Amino acid sequence: MTLEKGLGGIVTAAFIGITAAATALAQDAPTLIYSDTVAAADPRSAVLDEGFAGCLGAAFDFTPYHGATLVKQGTELTAMQRGNLDMANLAIFDFYNQVPEASILGTAYLFRDVDHMRKVYDSDVLDGLVATMEDKTGIKILAWPYIGTRHVNIRGDKTIMTPADLAGIKLRMPGGEGWQFLGEALGANPTPLAFTEVYTALQTGAIDGQDNPLPTDKSMKFYEVTDQIVLTGHRMSNNVFAVSRSKWDSLTADQQQTLQGCADQFENDMAEFVLTQEEELRSFFEDEGLKVYEPDTAAFRDHVLGVYKTSKFSDDWPEGLLEQINGL
């Protein structure tokens, strides 16, 4: 056997071995089917598709579905429980029917600012509530990505300074009792509507306004069909980035560590992206012709918290948790 033929055989065998190993690795990679209401064209989706998916690499077969194209908004948790979905970025109000005590995290003006919100989630004051959420729903909470502070965005030129000024305003809110109550607490007439239908409803006048973080207002082009943004700052919103418990339990310890580490990085990346956007977007909307202004925030905060504290929702809050949150 010549040296050339010998080396050729070794190279061929090595190539075959590497290819077989790569194929085996791909076959062994757990699948992760993910659903989100955010549109694929939204820049936040790139944080997921490039950052989170890139972090997972070949260790997982990650397939995201954006714009509620796979699972209808508000039904993701049920889909995960039924084994039809592995992961989702859930809204806190999705938990209300199964974990009423979780509604405290959806309370408007719960956090003083983003730093306070981050301090709360980084502390241990929520450990008991998180354990309850996971036990009752059969999910594993991986992270709490910040998606922005919600403000009121409406048509027309009526100045909104207090909750009383929102009387009669048809304000789109996501479906679900918790979301609808939030709209009422703000002083508006809440109207349930799917996220994907909001632009057309604003355009036709079926609704008078909607509430979302500034990056969402831009990515969904709501500024094209509204006239003003009232910086109510009523909810510093973060989602529940979660995986089904059955999927989590099927992973090896190394795979769990990888998934958790990538989720932690996704939380950090999303916060950085959204905070940068929020700093820059006021001037963008003003350049587009929208009126952007601060209302009497104290009036909104006092009114909204007063409504919450006398509602059935506060009856479900874990005893003493509000005081612990306020104390941080």
Side-chain angles (χ1 to χ4, degrees):
M1 181 176 65
T2 65
L3 177 62
E4 180 179 353
K5 288 183 179 180
L7 289 175
I10 292 172
V11 170
T12 301
F15 175 78
I16 293 173
I18 292 170
T19 303
T23 301
L25 178 62
Q27 290 174 341
D28 292 341
T31 58
L32 290 176
I33 305 301
Y34 172 90
S35 178
D36 204 325
T37 59
V38 177
D42 191 303
R44 289 174 299 173
S45 293
V47 179
L48 178 89
D49 296 345
E50 298 171 13
F52 178 71
C55 177
L56 292 177
F60 289 86
D61 180 10
F62 179 70
T63 305
Y65 289 85
H66 299 291
T69 53
L70 178 66
V71 180
K72 183 179 177 182
Q73 183 180 18
T75 66
E76 297 93 342
L77 179 58
T78 301
M80 292 169 70
Q81 293 170 327
R82 292 177 176 173
N84 298 325
L85 184 66
D86 299 317
M87 292 187 66
N89 214 10
L90 304 166
I92 194 64
F93 290 124
D94 294 343
F95 291 84
Y96 179 68
N97 288 335
Q98 299 181 47
V99 194
E101 50 267 58
S103 68
I104 190 172
L105 298 181
T107 302
Y109 298 108
L110 178 66
F111 305 115
R112 295 186 294 273
D113 50 37
V114 174
D115 287 341
H116 179 223
M117 180 196 74
R118 194 73 275 146
K119 182 180 290 187
V120 171
Y121 282 101
D122 288 343
S123 73
D124 59 1
V125 301
L126 297 181
D127 287 356
L129 178 58
V130 170
T132 299
M133 292 170 64
E134 291 181 333
D135 290 344
K136 286 189 174 182
T137 61
I139 66 167
K140 166 66 177 175
I141 297 175
L142 299 170
W144 304 85
Y146 173 66
I147 61 171
T149 297
R150 300 178 82 97
H151 305 286
V152 170
N153 170 218
I154 62 175
R155 292 158 43 100
D157 57 4
K158 181 181 180 181
T159 300
I160 306 297
M161 294 303 295
T162 69
D165 297 325
L166 282 175
I169 296 291
K170 292 179 290 184
L171 188 69
R172 176 268 173 181
M173 301 297 291
E177 190 175 2
W179 284 113
Q180 296 300 295
F181 180 78
L182 172 56
E184 291 177 6
L186 288 170
N189 179 20
T191 302
L193 193 67
F195 182 62
T196 53
E197 300 173 13
V198 175
Y199 184 97
T200 301
L202 286 167
Q203 187 177 45
T204 61
I207 56 175
D208 301 315
Q210 60 91 32
D211 86 311
N212 261 301
L214 298 182
T216 304
D217 292 340
K218 182 183 180 184
S219 65
M220 296 301 290
K221 299 185 177 182
F222 293 147
Y223 59 88
E224 295 180 344
V225 287
T226 56
D227 301 295
Q228 54 179 303
I229 295 176
V230 189
L231 298 172
T232 48
H234 52 275
R235 269 213 69 205
M236 289 160 194
S237 301
N238 55 330
N239 282 339
V240 185
F241 194 61
V243 62
S244 71
R245 174 59 69 174
S246 58
K247 175 62 69 172
W248 176 260
D249 289 343
S250 72
L251 303 178
T252 66
D254 285 345
Q255 289 168 338
Q256 290 178 349
Q257 183 176 12
T258 297
L259 181 56
Q260 183 62 67
C262 291
D264 292 341
Q265 186 61 52
F266 171 65
E267 178 181 285
N268 294 333
D269 291 346
M270 183 63 77
E272 181 179 356
F273 171 78
V274 171
L275 288 169
T276 300
Q277 288 275 295
E278 289 181 318
E279 289 179 2
E280 301 171 349
L281 285 177
R282 177 168 183 164
S283 60
F284 168 82
F285 292 123
E286 290 174 335
D287 290 344
E288 290 293 326
L290 272 68
K291 183 180 178 182
V292 184
Y293 60 95
E294 288 85 8
D296 185 343
T297 307
F300 268 98
R301 180 184 294 107
D302 292 345
H303 174 79
V304 171
L305 288 176
V307 173
Y308 267 94
K309 288 178 180 178
T310 57
S311 72
K312 70 174 186 177
F313 291 93
S314 64
D315 294 338
D316 298 319
W317 296 349
E319 186 175 355
L321 183 55
L322 180 61
E323 290 72 22
Q324 288 180 287
I325 291 173
N326 289 338
L328 290 175

